[in-house]
Amino acid sequence: MQEVAGYIEKQLAYLSGGRGEDSSVIITLPECSAFSDIPEEALAKVLSYLTLIPRTRQPGVKFIIILDRRLDTWASIKTALARIAASFPGNLHLVLVLRPTSFFQRTVTDLGFRFSQEDFMLKMPVVMLSSVTDLLRYIDENQLTSEFGGTLDYCHSDWIVLRTAIESFAVMVKDIAQMLQAFGTELAETQLSEECSAVEFLLLSHTEKYRRLKVQLNEVLMCRESSHFSLIDYCWTLITALGTSKFQLLAQLTDMEMAFDGFFDKHHLKLQQYLQLLRYEHSFQEVNCFSVPKIAQRHTDGSQTNSVANMLIFLTDLCVFQEEMSQAQVLILHGHQLAAGHHYAMALIIQRCNELRHQCDTLTSALNTKRKSLTQAQTLLSRLEEAQRWCDDGAYLLANQQVDKFQSKDGAQAALRDIEKFQEAAPPLLGAGVDVLFLEYESVLTPCLQAHIENTFQKHSSVQALIQSRQNCLKKLADKHVRPIQLVAPRPENPPRAKSPLFSPKHGMWQCNINFGSNYPQYFSAMSSRSLINSYLHVMKELIETERIYVEELLAVLLGYRAEMDNPSLAPLLPTSLCNKRDVLFGNLPDIYNFHSSVFLQDLESCLESPEAVGACFLERKDHFHLYECYCQNKPRSDSLWRQFSDCPFFQECQKKLEHKLALDSYLLKPVQRLTKYQLLLKELLKYSSGCERVSELQGALEAMLDLLKSVNDSMHQIAITGYEGDLSNLGRVLMQGSFSVWISHKKGPTRVKELARFKPMQRHLFLHEHALLFCKRRDEHGENADKTPSYSFKHCLKMSAVGITENVKGDVKKFEIWYSGREEVYVIQAPTVEVKIAWLNEIRKILTNQQKQLKGLNTFPVIKCHWCSSTSTWSNVCSSLIGSEELCHSAAVSEQTQMSPPLSVR
């Protein structure tokens, strides 16, 4: 608007908001004495600006110009009309000229317009009006402003202010949209680190940028009033005249904000979940550092197991192990909480939880065994220390007895009683013997403990010899027979058996001129209702009659258009660049016509006497219908050529001769429509043929037509593949095609976590051929001249001879896996629906089965299905994957190895 602001303010031309017939927009050029002085370029910019405003809201709008020259001359009118004809950019419906009111100028204008009328009428429709009253014959009073006797309220200054405010606001909306788009691109292209601190910083920075953008968005959304007026309270008529409004921009901005909020919420959630996964993996690695061998090997040094104090220290260390195991339990609980929150790496987290639970069970068993062993060793050491103390006390007792008191009988007897009392308090261990102790504590016996036991008993033997010698002396002194003390060996206790760890992981009829023969009731002998017979014959009549019409239409196109391209009399109307493009425009339409006119129509007409044979007609000729595949593959080229030359006089002349109401492109679409019509008619025939003979042929015919439609559709997509180096025909026929979400991962090595962090899948269009699976990227072109048919950029190819599938993926019933070369490459495929997934899996299984049937030794190479993870592959693929690899199924349990035949190597 800045380029034409000066001329707009001078009211060179303006939009009042009025409308003429067919909702044509009125542009008024008021009286302007300096109109001839305005540069041609400036006038063109003003008219372009005014016509652009309504066209942005309503494409294809028409315009009416009111040229007010009541105070001007014919020369000025003529100049103005010529400049309008040269500069007006829109669809000009009518030019209404208010001619001069003075008698002389009116007369000159009438004479001048009479002689120049043909020149102007060839360029634009011009109507000369004598007065404002004549203007009302073309435009309603309520669509005209007061200067033309109308009632439409219009203020030019308000229009300028309002238009300026809206354009300024539109610039603001455009700027904020660009900022949102740039930020969204930044989020989508963010490379994720494996460091928690880097991800935390990324999360904070993205959140801060999002908040700043939200502040700017809210500022724009709150900008509902300009400095001069309120948009909400302003006249609706004036807003309509602008062709757009701030309300529309606000609605657009609100939708933009909602979409942006949704996108950021998803990104923020995925980033948080990725950070949670990194932290969980870090905690898992810390907890997983403990193992059974470490516990089993710890505290086995004999030099440290010679005292009860050391045993207490060892038992305290085991309590520390127990606390560390409780951390693993907390980590397992945290993992289940993440999985319950629909974490995107749910499968990995559950796997880690199962591993930790298995490790905890194993460690608990090891800890219990170790604790029992240490407790038993502690008991042994306590008994040995008790025995040594008894020996020490015995030696002390003998050393402290006073010899002078032994001289009397009473003194000797008293000393004997002290020794006997001491011997009665002897520890039971000393009466068991060395061999009994070795047997009782065999499970914990170490060389150090063994030496400790031997030293204790040696000490006991020495002390016992001293005691025996003292007793003999005292007995002689007391002259009294002392009954020897009988030592009773304690009964050895059988140590309880340690339980071995055990872990088990979780797992009325239509009238026409067709008459059927007298034999048709035999075909319907099984029908119980006459109405079914009538309905069936009704559909048969429609099939044959429409086939005749279809053949006639094809013939008309071939004779009325294709053959006429060789007609010398029409050669001047035919563009030179179209002369050699006949086969492109019509494709193999002659072949289709020959098949239907000379073969298929006669087959259908033969069903007049035997309507039961209609299914056989389709089955016998189903190979001929593949002509339609070539026709449909050529259809995009034909449509492109038609769009380029649709306005050619040659086609208009041919259409006129044929008296066709529709253009050629409508008739070129007939083969595609006919192909679809067949399956509809066959469905109707099946509906009325229940229980009749040869109904299976009808069912087969319907399936053949449906397969043909699918094959045609698939081949239409296949021809749009670009970038494939090779011949697509070598890959075999296209069996399936469709769009999927795809994740690619390598399930070995440390990159597993980083690959799972790719929470935004790739959108790929898959083509399943008989011998290969192609991954392509769909590309839709935009623009006025863009082809409506999408193209597919080739990305990757998998040979079906090295492909295996996993039918079920945890977390999503629509996902399945395609793995390649022994699971070195794994493609997680998410289908749009469960039905699509099942259809693809069935087709892939058929391919794998057919491959093996072609190999020698069919019984040696069956197609197998893993009952642990539902993966399917050929036995040859399994054998090749086992070469240089120790695993087949990552989720198999060792306890189930024997259930498969032939045996598989499992982890």
Side-chain angles (χ1 to χ4, degrees):
M1 183 176 180
Q2 295 178 357
E3 298 180 359
V4 297
Y7 296 103
I8 295 294
E9 291 178 359
K10 292 179 182 180
Q11 207 169 355
L12 172 65
Y14 62 85
L15 283 172
S16 63
R19 297 277 180 165
E21 61 179 9
D22 297 334
S23 298
S24 301
V25 177
I26 298 175
I27 298 179
T28 304
L29 276 69
E31 185 68 43
C32 181
S33 59
F35 184 82
S36 59
D37 298 333
I38 298 173
E40 188 75 26
E41 183 180 358
L43 178 61
K45 290 182 178 180
V46 170
L47 293 177
S48 296
Y49 175 74
L50 293 178
T51 57
L52 184 61
I53 295 174
R55 279 192 293 171
T56 58
R57 187 176 63 175
Q58 184 180 358
V61 67
K62 299 178 181 179
F63 293 91
I64 295 177
I65 290 181
I66 299 179
L67 183 62
D68 187 3
R69 289 296 180 266
R70 286 177 288 182
L71 302 178
D72 216 332
T73 64
W74 162 245
S76 177
I77 294 174
K78 185 176 180 181
T79 301
L81 291 175
R83 297 181 70 180
I84 291 171
S87 304
F88 195 79
N91 184 4
L92 189 54
H93 179 63
L94 188 63
V95 178
L96 302 175
V97 182
L98 291 174
R99 63 183 182 178
T101 56
S102 65
F103 176 77
F104 177 74
Q105 289 298 331
R106 178 184 300 178
T107 304
V108 173
T109 299
D110 291 342
L111 292 174
F113 183 71
R114 184 178 303 172
F115 289 106
S116 304
Q117 183 176 6
E118 293 183 359
D119 295 337
F120 288 118
M121 292 302 289
L122 289 175
K123 300 177 181 179
M124 58 185 178
V126 180
V127 177
M128 287 291 179
L129 304 177
S130 300
S131 63
V132 173
T133 306
D134 295 340
L135 190 60
L136 296 176
R137 290 185 298 173
Y138 297 91
I139 303 173
D140 293 337
E141 180 182 2
N142 58 0
Q143 299 296 325
L144 293 173
T145 58
S146 58
E147 62 182 307
F148 298 117
T151 60
L152 181 63
D153 187 15
Y154 175 75
C155 177
H156 190 65
S157 60
D158 287 349
W159 187 92
I160 293 175
V161 173
L162 182 60
R163 190 67 207 170
T164 303
I166 287 179
E167 291 188 0
S168 299
F169 187 76
V171 171
M172 294 172 62
V173 173
K174 181 179 179 181
D175 292 342
I176 198 69
Q178 291 176 348
M179 287 190 292
L180 294 180
Q181 180 66 28
F183 184 59
T185 303
E186 178 185 351
L187 296 183
E189 296 177 354
T190 299
Q191 296 294 329
L192 299 179
S193 173
E194 294 185 4
E195 297 294 331
C196 292
S197 58
V199 178
E200 289 175 352
F201 175 79
L202 197 64
L203 194 60
L204 291 175
S205 62
H206 284 181
T207 303
E208 182 61 28
K209 289 182 181 179
Y210 169 75
R211 288 174 180 172
R212 290 201 298 266
L213 282 174
K214 284 289 291 184
V215 170
Q216 298 180 25
L217 262 173
N218 292 331
E219 289 176 356
V220 175
L221 289 171
M222 293 300 295
C223 183
R224 296 180 180 272
E225 295 185 357
S226 67
S227 58
H228 297 87
F229 58 89
S230 172
L231 286 171
I232 298 177
D233 300 331
Y234 196 70
C235 176
W236 176 256
T237 304
L238 187 57
I239 292 175
T240 305
L242 294 171
T244 183
S245 68
K246 194 173 180 180
F247 304 113
Q248 295 172 336
L249 295 174
L250 284 172
Q252 179 184 355
L253 195 60
T254 302
D255 294 341
M256 190 188 310
E257 181 189 25
M258 293 176 62
F260 174 67
D261 288 342
F263 175 79
F264 183 80
D265 289 342
K266 292 181 181 178
H267 172 80
H268 191 264
L269 176 61
K270 292 297 183 181
L271 210 57
Q272 285 181 325
Q273 290 184 347
Y274 177 63
L275 182 59
Q276 292 172 348
L277 180 62
L278 285 181
R279 290 172 175 169
Y280 186 85
E281 194 70 15
H282 179 69
S283 301
F284 174 81
Q285 296 300 333
E286 290 181 347
V287 173
N288 201 41
C289 66
F290 302 105
S291 60
V292 178
K294 291 183 179 180
I295 297 177
Q297 295 173 6
R298 193 168 180 179
H299 312 317
T300 57
D301 186 2
S303 62
Q304 298 179 354
T305 57
N306 57 357
S307 68
V308 176
N310 288 338
M311 289 295 104
L312 291 175
I313 295 175
F314 299 160
L315 287 172
T316 304
D317 290 344
L318 291 183
C319 294
V320 176
F321 273 110
Q322 193 70 35
E323 293 177 358
E324 291 169 344
M325 283 183 54
S326 64
Q327 297 178 5
Q329 296 292 343
V330 173
L331 191 60
I332 292 174
L333 178 61
H334 180 55
H336 284 295
Q337 290 174 348
L338 291 179
H342 303 288
H343 196 283
Y344 71 89
M346 183 190 304
L348 177 62
I349 294 174
I350 294 298
Q351 179 183 353
R352 295 303 193 203
C353 290
N354 291 336
E355 291 177 8
L356 281 178
R357 185 180 292 107
H358 174 53
Q359 192 76 352
C360 286
D361 293 342
T362 307
L363 287 174
T364 300
S365 177
L367 285 173
N368 292 335
T369 303
K370 192 66 178 180
R371 182 180 290 106
K372 187 175 181 179
S373 174
L374 289 175
T375 303
Q376 196 173 9
Q378 181 189 15
T379 303
L380 175 61
L381 286 172
S382 299
R383 297 177 66 185
L384 290 174
E385 289 182 0
E386 181 184 7
Q388 288 185 348
R389 284 195 302 269
W390 183 87
C391 293
D392 293 339
D393 292 343
Y396 181 78
L397 174 65
L398 296 176
N400 288 328
Q401 283 183 337
Q402 297 179 3
V403 179
D404 57 345
K405 292 183 178 182
F406 297 164
Q407 302 302 319
S408 66
K409 183 177 180 180
D410 294 337
Q413 291 178 347
L416 282 173
R417 285 195 298 270
D418 290 340
I419 293 174
E420 290 175 354
K421 183 178 180 181
F422 176 75
Q423 285 183 324
E424 290 176 356
L429 177 138
L430 295 174
V434 176
D435 295 336
V436 174
L437 286 179
F438 284 172
L439 182 62
E440 181 180 358
Y441 294 98
E442 181 181 6
S443 60
V444 297
L445 202 60
T446 63
C448 182
L449 286 175
Q450 185 175 354
H452 197 4
I453 294 172
E454 291 174 351
N455 291 335
T456 301
F457 275 89
Q458 288 176 2
K459 189 174 183 180
H460 172 259
S461 298
S462 300
V463 172
Q464 191 68 26
L466 291 173
I467 291 174
Q468 187 66 38
S469 177
R470 177 66 58 88
Q471 282 179 328
N472 292 335
C473 293
L474 291 174
K475 287 179 180 179
K476 291 179 181 179
L477 293 173
D479 192 22
K480 180 181 179 181
H481 178 71
V482 179
R483 183 174 54 89
I485 300 174
Q486 296 181 358
L487 299 178
V488 181
R491 184 179 181 181
E493 298 177 359
N494 294 326
R497 296 181 180 178
K499 295 182 179 179
S500 60
L502 180 62
F503 174 72
S504 298
K506 297 180 180 178
H507 27 279
M509 287 189 67
W510 172 59
Q511 300 295 326
C512 68
N513 55 355
I514 298 177
N515 295 317
F516 291 91
S518 58
N519 295 329
Y520 76 87
Q522 298 176 1
Y523 175 61
F524 302 98
S525 59
M527 290 188 177
S528 59
S529 175
R530 179 67 182 179
S531 62
L532 292 178
I533 301 176
N534 294 337
S535 300
Y536 184 93
L537 297 180
H538 174 90
V539 179
M540 279 293 299
K541 291 177 181 180
E542 182 180 0
L543 173 61
I544 298 175
E545 187 64 27
T546 54
E547 184 70 11
R548 291 175 177 174
I549 296 173
Y550 174 59
V551 170
E552 292 173 1
E553 289 175 339
L554 294 182
L555 180 60
V557 170
L558 293 175
L559 295 180
Y561 286 98
R562 192 174 187 276
E564 289 297 310
M565 295 180 74
D566 296 331
N567 189 348
S569 62
L570 297 179
L573 302 178
L574 189 66
T576 306
S577 57
L578 193 61
C579 293
N580 299 324
K581 300 292 181 62
R582 183 174 63 178
D583 293 336
V584 176
L585 182 61
F586 296 94
N588 63 335
L589 194 64
D591 297 333
I592 294 177
Y593 167 76
N594 290 334
F595 163 65
H596 283 273
S597 62
S598 60
V599 178
F600 194 66
L601 178 59
Q602 296 179 8
D603 291 345
L604 291 179
E605 288 176 340
S606 66
C607 296
L608 293 174
E609 294 295 327
S610 55
E612 72 277 8
V614 64
C617 291
F618 282 91
L619 291 176
E620 291 173 2
R621 307 298 181 184
K622 67 178 182 179
D623 292 336
H624 293 77
F625 280 94
H626 288 287
L627 292 169
Y628 284 87
E629 288 188 21
C630 297
Y631 184 84
C632 292
Q633 289 178 354
N634 180 70
K635 196 68 171 63
R637 300 173 59 202
S638 175
D639 292 342
S640 177
L641 192 64
W642 168 255
R643 286 193 297 269
Q644 185 179 355
F645 297 101
S646 59
D647 296 330
C648 174
F650 169 81
F651 294 122
Q652 297 176 0
E653 182 64 22
C654 293
Q655 182 179 351
K656 182 179 179 181
K657 287 184 178 180
L658 292 171
E659 298 181 355
H660 283 175
K661 295 182 180 180
L662 301 176
L664 173 61
D665 59 333
S666 299
Y667 288 91
L668 292 178
L669 191 61
K670 292 290 184 180
V672 181
Q673 295 172 338
R674 188 58 181 170
L675 203 58
T676 307
K677 184 69 173 177
Y678 284 137
Q679 58 97 9
L680 296 176
L681 293 172
L682 288 171
K683 286 181 180 178
E684 289 295 313
L685 290 174
L686 267 175
K687 185 168 64 173
Y688 303 123
S689 300
S690 178
C692 299
E693 300 175 2
R694 303 179 69 174
V695 68
S696 60
E697 293 179 348
L698 269 179
Q699 183 65 43
L702 175 59
E703 293 175 357
M705 289 297 103
L706 292 175
D707 290 342
L708 179 62
L709 284 172
K710 178 182 176 299
S711 178
V712 167
N713 182 59
D714 293 344
S715 63
M716 290 290 289
H717 288 273
Q718 180 193 10
I719 63 174
I721 297 177
T722 59
Y724 180 79
E725 296 181 0
D727 190 358
L728 288 172
S729 61
N730 294 334
L731 304 181
R733 193 165 58 91
V734 178
L735 303 177
M736 304 283 285
Q737 58 83 26
S739 296
F740 299 84
S741 297
V742 179
W743 293 263
I744 303 177
S745 66
H746 300 269
K747 292 204 171 181
K748 297 180 181 179
T751 59
R752 170 63 171 162
V753 176
K754 188 172 182 180
E755 290 167 346
L756 284 174
R758 186 183 179 92
F759 47 77
K760 183 177 181 180
M762 297 180 293
Q763 299 301 318
R764 290 292 183 260
H765 201 91
L766 273 59
F767 292 85
L768 180 61
H769 293 72
E770 292 174 317
H771 307 303
L773 177 65
L774 297 187
F775 289 75
C776 301
K777 184 174 183 180
R778 178 181 176 128
R779 301 190 183 275
D780 295 309
E781 299 181 0
H782 303 283
E784 295 180 357
N785 298 325
D787 192 355
K788 296 181 180 179
T789 304
S791 61
Y792 303 94
S793 298
F794 170 77
K795 294 296 181 183
H796 197 52
C797 177
L798 302 180
K799 294 182 179 180
M800 295 305 296
S801 58
V803 160
I805 59 174
T806 301
E807 300 180 6
N808 298 312
V809 176
K810 292 183 179 179
D812 195 337
V813 296
K814 296 183 291 186
K815 287 182 180 179
F816 62 99
E817 285 184 351
I818 294 179
W819 44 273
Y820 194 65
S821 298
R823 301 192 69 86
E824 291 181 3
E825 298 175 21
V826 178
Y827 300 81
V828 180
I829 314 294
Q830 184 182 46
T833 62
V834 177
E835 291 75 15
V836 173
K837 168 190 171 181
I838 294 174
W840 275 72
L841 290 176
N842 291 338
E843 202 64 40
I844 293 175
R845 281 196 295 267
K846 290 180 183 178
I847 295 176
L848 297 178
T849 303
N850 291 334
Q851 286 179 355
Q852 297 311 309
K853 288 182 179 179
Q854 297 173 5
L855 296 176
K856 294 181 179 180
L858 180 61
N859 296 329
T860 310
F861 301 97
V863 174
I864 65 170
K865 179 177 180 181
C866 178
H867 63 279
W868 297 306
C869 64
S870 301
S871 61
T872 303
S873 182
T874 61
W875 181 253
S876 60
N877 291 346
V878 171
C879 294
S880 63
S881 68
L882 291 177
I883 299 175
S885 174
E886 297 181 355
E887 67 176 34
L888 171 65
C889 175
H890 64 282
S891 62
V894 175
S895 60
E896 296 185 14
Q897 291 184 44
T898 58
Q899 296 183 17
M900 295 193 65
S901 178
L904 301 180
S905 173
V906 294
R907 181 173 62 186

